Amino acid sequence: MIAPDTSTPRAAYEVRVCAGSACVANGSLQIAQRFEEAIARNGLAGSVRVIKTGCHGLCARGPVVVVGPDGVFYPAVDLDAADRIIVSVLGDREPVEPLLFRESPGADSIARYADVPFNARQQRIVLRNCGVIDPESLDSAFAAGDYVALSTALATMTPEQVIEMVRDSGLRGRGGAGFSTGMKWQLARAAEGDLKYLCCNADEGDPGAFMDRAVLEGDPHAVLEGMALAAYAIGASEGYVYVRAEYPLAVKRLRKAIADAEARGLLGKDIMGSGFSYSVSIREGAGAFVCGEETALIASVEGRRGMPRPRPPFPTTSGLWNRPTCINNVETLANIPWIVANGAEAYAAIGTGNSKGTKVFALTGHVHYTGLVEVPMGLTVREMVHEIGGGSSSERPIKAVQIGGPSGGCLPASLFDTHIDYDALASVGAVVGSGGLVAVDKSTCMVEFARYFLAFTQDESCGKCVPCRIGTKRMLEIVTRITEGHGQPGDIETLERLGNLVRSTSLCALGGTAANPVLTTLKYFREEYEEHISEKKCRAHACGALSTYAVIPEKCKGCGVCKKNCPVNAISSVIKEQYTIDPDTCVKCGICEAKCPFDAIIRV
Amino acid sequence: MNTRGIINTSAVATGAQATGVVEGSMVTLAIDGRVVTARPGATVLETCREAGVHIPTLCHDPRLEPYGACRLCIVEIEGMRGYPTSCTTVVAQDMAVTTTSETLRALRSDLVELLLSDHKVECLTCEASGGCGLQDLAYEFGIETSRFEGAKHVSEVDDPNPLIARDPAKCISCGRCVRICDEVQGCHVWGHTKRGFDALPDTPSSVSLLDAGCEFCGQCVSTCPTGALTDRVGRFRGRRWEVTWTETTCGYCGVGCAIEFATKGGQIVGARAPLDKGPNYGNLCAKGRYGWSFAQHPDRLTTPLVRRDGELTPATWDEALSLVAQKLAAIRDEHTGSAVAGLASAKCTNEENYLFQKLLRAGIGTHNIDHCARL
Ligand SMILES: Cc1cc2nc3c(=O)[nH]c(=O)nc-3n(C[C@H](O)[C@H](O)[C@H](O)COP(=O)(O)O)c2cc1C
Ligand code: SF4
Ligand code: SF4
Ligand code: SF4
Ligand code: FES
């Protein structure tokens, strides 16, 4: 039914410049322009083509440029590098050796993007077209196979068959709760109502998470196709994408994708002549984390303050304007066309027991390679951190990972053999969640780390229910005073009591999971809390109030740079050559540590 | 409006019995091991209350839709995860509910302690004392002081209106004020503002109630479970346990709301509406709730006056009415009925207004009749 536009010769040599948010922030659009100008100058527009793609994943080494059919990878490209790459592209097309990726300076180069260790364990289903296609071109999406699944399903499958397929694939919602997508659709299909909605939850508010943004920016048509398939399955005729206004690029590309799809009859009335109609509009959220919670999302779309309400009734029974409403996450939906195209069995063959398929994670923290990774469910934390992330980015070992963002749990290195799937993570107190994964080394204080997440959830609490509004505040106050050296005996017990209260009695999952970072760090890093409280000591030297700076006499050469730079005159030279820091005057700004040419100042 | 109120519930239940609806259409469930029948669609809380089982609540008001914010009404229900709130959970056949247990008591008590940790406790002079949901729960759970402490809201609010006193430092954010204004009054004066610990109901941009379009029906005051919203007029004029409540019918309009006046020392100091009596089921308008100072006003007429020799002098109703009848008849006889006009009052019932027009049209013979509600 759909004929890809073949006006652009497929044989053109392709230069893929990453136009994901991170690379754009690092200047990738200017680089793309540089390429385009050079190509035009040389009159080669027909044979060399610049594609501005979505996120490639390895954001830490952006701007990313991937060239030619072999996918030659140039990391951290600047304008100078771009000029040299152009010479190669327009000339002999040999990889520019000095610009290629290296694991460390002086190491052997790795030419192909696919061969970078960061990619070795990855399997791209959701991100199949991210970094490959031009997300602003429907033809580019067609060429990559978008909308084939929809056209096949509309022509050959009943809605029930689509539901059955998705149920059998074992796909579970990627928005955090992990509910079976097929079952949710079944409930929505069975719900009574003449008008049903199928909505996409693109609120993605967890700090550090950018999986959904990457999909929307890199392959918006995959999400729209997933929405149309879901709508067909449940019998929905209208829907919204609820996307945060802080994602302007995603909103822009989505808007264009919807318009393009409508213009070609892939969305809207009588899709591809099948008689099935489904129209999509965008609702921009104003940046409240809680609006990602489905009942709050509904309130927000309806124009009310985004506050959760108790379930049941579940949205599949009574959602937007009291109509049956199915809400699915971006990543969930982006899986659907692949499942419909490749079959339930192919999907179910990936992953472990109750956790099928792949999951996209935003890997951040103290690892070499931070970025976006998509892996089969069931990889171990160790594989994630050491093989994909390339291990610690410092000489300090990785001591913990936080999986699942502010609702997730903190796991110690001793549990790094835990498999990353729903059941295994739950058994150790963590969650797959939406897919934030932060690895931290020994310079991170686990009390402070937990405080950071708790401060986020307390701030984002909608304030409706007592345990979340006041309970997390009291917990935050206690954790904060512990990091400030004012912890008291009994604080740990109070934290546990409050943590349990907040977890057991909160109305929605924001409060229900808010205590997880504190409870898991208390479980696995209790000694750090105890040291803060009884010894007033932070082993990571991260808590300002509990640490200070000192001069190592053996290393100090007496140059006096520290003294000159100290803004509060806390450094004196007692005997001519020996510098000391007065801990009472020191304001812990760290300038001396940074300025000392001999690394003679340390945080203690 | 809300159709789930306990009042409406019992009305339905009684109706069902009266019309002989069979047991089959009712739901049978176990509450603390006791078998109870309930109306389908009733909440667990409503059913428990009807069965005389106590469950603490703060954000519940039978006039409002279920909300689930205070979390105090949590129960355990077999087969359900965690602790569902009874005010939002609808009964189901064969449901097994536990309303009291060590765990439930501990969780509820901790919730009350959390509320008290952010509360300006000044029950000595607080207008709500004796009728305060929070005070009652602190007593029920034997909480002398809260174990939890930390930042508190402060009482900063400068609202110069003469009727409603606001003290955010006593607000528990139950949202009842917001909801009654939205759901019952349709006035939308209150809204939830801010997030996290700072979240509080407030007017738009924190303007005064006078500027926020408030009608001063005092519905928010009537539902506020604490001293965060109180009546200014009755301030320091009688504690809850000192006043005598007298039930009567509001004389302001034909609706005839059930109303109770609080008196102390023979003076009216407040008004409220009983939740379980129609037609208003707990609701009142501004006049009913606050417009009673005339009752004790020195200028108020307590007997008819008749002008004699140019002087208004007290008379009996019989004297006064005969005089009016006599004069009206004289005017009609001398100038025809059209010389007489009648203005009816919204204070009268429909039936009274009907009789009034009958009197004018048939008795006096005039079409000159109007009603103050048209003005
Ligand atoms: C505080 C909070 C924030 C949430 N944020 C998101 C979000 O940003 N995106 C999302 O898809 N789901 C989010 N969820 C989960 C949604 O409520 C819902 O479960 C999900 O959108 C369902 O889609 P799925 O079944 O495809 O996962 C959030 C839940 C909570 C409690
Ligand atoms: S748990 Fe927190 S975010 Fe959820 S409803 Fe309660 S106060 Fe709001
Ligand atoms: S609102 Fe209740 S608890 Fe608070 S001071 Fe008044 S009476 Fe006491
Ligand atoms: S003012 Fe009263 S009714 Fe309104 S939220 Fe506060 S405590 Fe509840
Ligand atoms: S009365 Fe049920 S949560 Fe408040």
Side-chain angles (χ1 to χ4, degrees):
Chain A
M1 264 179 248
I2 321 158
D5 182 350
T6 47
S7 56
T8 317
R10 293 294 298 124
Y13 191 78
E14 288 167 344
V15 178
R16 295 188 162 75
V17 180
C18 186
S21 280
C23 284
V24 168
N26 282 320
S28 69
L29 293 183
Q30 287 88 308
I31 288 156
Q33 196 186 350
R34 191 79 141 218
F35 283 129
E36 280 163 349
E37 284 164 4
I39 292 164
R41 243 192 337 269
N42 290 280
L44 291 170
S47 56
V48 181
R49 187 150 60 118
V50 176
I51 303 176
K52 283 173 268 187
T53 72
C55 180
H56 283 75
L58 194 45
C59 307
R61 298 295 167 93
V64 167
V65 174
V66 177
V67 170
D70 292 338
V72 175
F73 170 38
Y74 297 104
V77 175
D78 56 16
L79 289 176
D80 287 341
D83 290 339
R84 293 166 71 187
I85 298 167
I86 294 166
V87 173
S88 149
V89 165
L90 302 182
D92 61 6
R93 293 186 178 168
E94 280 300 307
V96 188
E97 176 64 26
L99 297 179
L100 294 177
F101 174 84
R102 285 173 170 74
E103 285 208 75
S104 56
D108 286 344
S109 64
I110 299 173
R112 293 176 62 235
Y113 188 61
D115 295 338
V116 172
F118 174 78
N119 288 320
R121 301 296 298 264
Q122 295 202 40
Q123 181 171 2
R124 295 189 142 214
I125 290 179
V126 174
L127 303 175
R128 57 193 176 275
N129 294 329
C130 287
V132 179
I133 62 166
D134 175 353
E136 297 192 16
S137 153
L138 179 55
D139 292 324
S140 185
F142 274 152
D146 278 356
Y147 293 107
V148 173
L150 178 62
S151 104
T152 316
L154 292 182
T156 65
M157 293 170 81
T158 64
E160 287 77 9
Q161 283 171 324
V162 176
I163 294 178
E164 196 178 302
M165 190 177 232
V166 171
R167 198 193 51 219
D168 293 348
S169 75
L171 175 65
R172 294 167 64 170
R174 303 297 194 228
F179 190 78
S180 157
T181 305
M183 259 159 70
K184 192 189 271 190
W185 289 8
Q186 219 154 14
L187 292 171
R189 172 139 201 104
E192 279 180 36
D194 47 349
L195 174 59
K196 294 183 189 179
Y197 294 97
L198 180 286
C199 296
C200 170
N201 188 342
D203 193 48
E204 196 169 57
D206 318 27
F210 51 95
M211 299 77 60
D212 295 346
R213 188 191 71 200
V215 179
L216 291 172
E217 287 178 1
D219 191 8
H221 287 289
V223 180
L224 293 177
E225 186 185 3
M227 289 179 77
L229 281 163
Y232 175 65
I234 69 166
S237 52
E238 288 177 31
Y240 295 91
V241 184
Y242 188 85
V243 56
R244 36 182 25 220
E246 292 91 330
Y247 282 180
L249 189 58
V251 173
K252 176 183 153 219
R253 290 189 179 156
L254 198 56
R255 193 155 276 148
K256 177 159 195 320
I258 292 174
D260 290 351
E262 276 175 353
R264 293 276 191 102
L266 304 167
L267 279 180
K269 285 222 157 51
D270 188 20
I271 295 176
M272 297 187 232
S274 64
F276 163 66
S277 300
Y278 175 61
S279 61
V280 178
S281 340
I282 295 179
R283 278 284 188 280
E284 287 183 54
F289 175 55
V290 73
C291 285
E293 196 281 336
E294 57 184 13
T295 59
L297 184 150
I298 288 169
S300 179
V301 171
E302 289 177 359
R304 293 178 289 126
R305 173 175 160 109
M307 277 170 120
R309 62 153 174 83
R311 299 170 301 179
F314 287 93
T316 43
T317 319
S318 177
L320 272 174
W321 297 287
N322 302 325
R323 314 275 188 170
T325 303
C326 177
I327 297 172
N328 278 124
N329 164 262
V330 170
E331 188 182 333
T332 312
L333 291 165
N335 270 300
I336 302 297
W338 193 95
I339 294 173
V340 171
N342 296 274
E345 275 166 39
Y347 195 81
I350 308 164
T352 53
N354 291 321
S355 312
K356 299 303 188 192
T358 60
K359 174 78 193 90
V360 184
F361 287 92
L363 178 61
T364 53
H366 299 143
V367 286
H368 255 100
Y369 307 121
T370 55
L372 202 65
V373 302
E374 180 172 357
V375 291
M377 287 276 188
L379 233 64
T380 65
V381 176
R382 188 180 311 286
E383 287 165 326
M384 189 72 138
V385 169
H386 291 282
E387 294 186 25
I388 296 176
S392 173
S393 55
S394 68
E395 68 287 359
R396 297 175 293 266
I398 298 295
K399 81 167 176 186
V401 292
Q402 163 82 9
I403 308 183
S407 5
C410 246
L411 298 183
S414 61
L415 288 176
F416 279 8
D417 288 321
T418 308
H419 294 276
I420 301 180
D421 67 27
Y422 292 104
D423 298 334
L425 285 180
S427 72
V428 291
V431 292
V432 174
S434 55
L437 205 151
V438 192
V440 294
D441 69 18
K442 291 204 155 171
S443 65
T444 298
C445 166
M446 299 314 287
V447 187
E448 168 56 29
F449 195 48
R451 193 200 64 77
Y452 166 80
F453 286 110
L454 188 61
F456 174 82
T457 30
Q458 154 58 210
D459 225 36
E460 294 292 333
S461 161
C462 82
K464 178 169 175 174
C465 68
V466 176
C468 178
R469 183 182 73 249
I470 312 180
T472 59
K473 175 72 172 179
R474 295 294 170 250
M475 290 181 74
L476 178 61
E477 287 166 339
I478 294 173
V479 178
T480 305
R481 78 167 175 243
I482 293 176
T483 61
E484 288 171 350
H486 303 303
Q488 296 157 11
D491 275 355
I492 292 183
E493 292 70 25
T494 307
L495 282 176
E496 281 172 337
R497 183 171 186 123
L498 282 173
N500 177 50
L501 176 73
V502 173
R503 171 186 278 179
S504 330
T505 61
S506 288
L507 191 164
C508 85
L510 188 150
T513 58
N516 284 353
V518 171
L519 292 175
T520 50
T521 48
L522 271 173
K523 184 168 173 195
Y524 297 120
F525 300 92
R526 200 183 190 86
E527 60 293 349
E528 292 200 27
Y529 283 83
E530 287 164 350
E531 282 167 10
H532 278 75
I533 295 170
S534 49
E535 299 167 40
K536 307 294 173 212
K537 182 181 139 197
C538 172
R539 62 169 73 180
H541 308 304
C543 292
L546 297 182
S547 50
T548 182
Y549 289 89
V551 181
I552 311 170
E554 299 79 50
K555 285 194 171 177
C556 174
K557 300 265 196 284
C559 70
V561 166
C562 55
K563 184 176 174 178
K564 271 191 218 105
N565 282 287
C566 176
V568 292
N569 288 325
I571 306 180
S572 55
S573 51
V574 186
I575 320 163
K576 209 166 180 175
E577 280 170 20
Q578 272 237 299
Y579 282 77
T580 52
I581 299 174
D582 173 16
D584 295 334
T585 315
C586 169
V587 292
K588 288 133 189 164
C589 66
I591 291 177
C592 56
E593 184 193 26
K595 293 280 178 186
C596 174
F598 308 105
D599 291 338
I601 293 179
I602 52 160
R603 202 161 179 171
V604 289
Chain B
M1 216 190 70
N2 166 35
T3 51
R4 293 188 192 236
I6 34 173
I7 317 106
N8 306 359
T9 310
S10 45
V12 171
T14 338
Q17 276 151 19
T19 51
V21 171
V22 279
E23 281 282 296
S25 67
M26 301 293 275
V27 173
T28 318
L29 67 158
I31 296 173
D32 299 325
R34 202 175 111 207
V35 177
V36 168
T37 48
R39 173 179 56 89
T43 65
V44 171
L45 178 67
E46 288 162 356
T47 308
C48 286
R49 293 213 160 150
E50 275 164 39
V53 176
H54 168 72
I55 294 179
T57 60
L58 278 176
C59 70
H60 173 79
D61 180 325
R63 290 172 285 177
L64 305 174
E65 292 297 322
Y67 191 60
C70 74
R71 317 305 288 167
L72 282 159
C73 69
I74 49 171
V75 293
E76 290 165 26
I77 298 178
E78 245 175 60
M80 281 194 178
R81 267 192 304 144
Y83 304 95
T85 40
S86 56
C87 69
T88 61
T89 309
V90 172
V91 291
Q93 181 64 31
D94 298 332
M95 194 179 240
V97 183
T98 305
T99 66
T100 30
S101 70
E102 276 300 304
T103 320
L104 285 172
R105 192 182 162 86
L107 292 172
R108 288 174 184 156
S109 173
D110 280 2
L111 289 170
V112 177
E113 280 196 54
L114 277 180
L115 284 169
L116 288 168
S117 75
D118 175 30
H119 191 78
K120 184 166 92 183
V121 182
E122 52 169 27
C123 308
L124 278 182
T125 49
C126 181
E127 280 302 323
S129 190
C132 168
L134 187 57
Q135 194 185 49
D136 290 349
L137 288 172
Y139 190 86
E140 178 177 339
F141 292 108
I143 303 164
E144 291 175 271
T145 48
S146 173
R147 252 172 318 165
F148 311 122
E149 47 186 45
K152 288 184 173 200
H153 285 92
V154 288
S155 303
E156 261 171 31
V157 58
D158 179 22
D159 200 315
N161 81 78
L163 294 174
I164 298 176
R166 300 165 57 188
D167 189 348
K170 290 182 190 164
C171 174
I172 59 164
S173 265
C174 64
R176 282 165 69 166
C177 50
V178 181
R179 289 179 288 140
I180 205 157
C181 196
D182 284 353
E183 292 174 24
V184 180
Q185 284 316 108
C187 282
H188 316 289
V189 167
W190 297 106
H192 296 278
T193 64
K194 303 197 184 136
R195 282 202 300 253
F197 181 71
D198 297 332
L200 264 194
D202 199 352
T203 55
S205 311
S206 301
V207 298
S208 74
L209 285 173
L210 286 163
D211 293 332
C214 176
E215 294 184 349
F216 293 98
C217 59
Q219 288 277 80
C220 53
V221 178
S222 80
T223 192
C224 181
T226 70
L229 294 174
T230 49
D231 290 340
R232 274 214 166 112
V233 267
R235 193 136 195 227
F236 299 131
R237 292 177 63 193
R239 317 249 21 189
R240 302 270 176 141
W241 55 88
E242 293 175 327
V243 300
T244 311
W245 290 101
T246 307
E247 198 179 316
T248 179
T249 303
C250 178
Y252 263 114
C253 79
V255 173
C257 286
I259 194 166
E260 291 175 329
F261 285 108
T263 50
K264 185 185 164 193
Q267 297 285 302
I268 297 178
V269 296
R272 71 179 183 194
L275 285 172
D276 58 351
K277 290 234 164 60
N280 48 322
Y281 295 108
N283 301 312
L284 286 176
C285 74
K287 289 183 282 184
R289 197 177 302 279
Y290 294 124
W292 36 259
S293 57
F294 71 88
Q296 282 133 213
H297 200 279
D299 292 353
R300 181 181 168 198
L301 296 185
T302 50
T303 170
L305 301 178
V306 168
R307 201 176 296 275
R308 295 190 178 105
D309 303 328
E311 277 292 304
L312 284 169
T313 50
T316 65
W317 279 108
D318 280 344
E319 285 169 343
L321 288 174
S322 321
L323 183 63
V324 171
Q326 202 187 317
K327 295 241 166 168
L328 279 175
I331 294 169
R332 178 197 58 193
D333 295 344
E334 193 174 332
H335 303 286
T336 77
S338 306
V340 178
L343 186 66
S345 168
K347 282 198 170 197
C348 302
T349 62
N350 281 348
E351 293 80 355
E352 288 161 345
N353 276 313
Y354 173 80
L355 290 173
F356 181 74
Q357 65 82 33
K358 192 85 175 172
L359 171 72
L360 279 141
R361 290 204 172 102
I364 295 177
T366 177
H367 289 302
N368 298 332
I369 179 164
D370 211 333
H371 189 280
C372 70
R374 245 174 39 87
L375 294 182

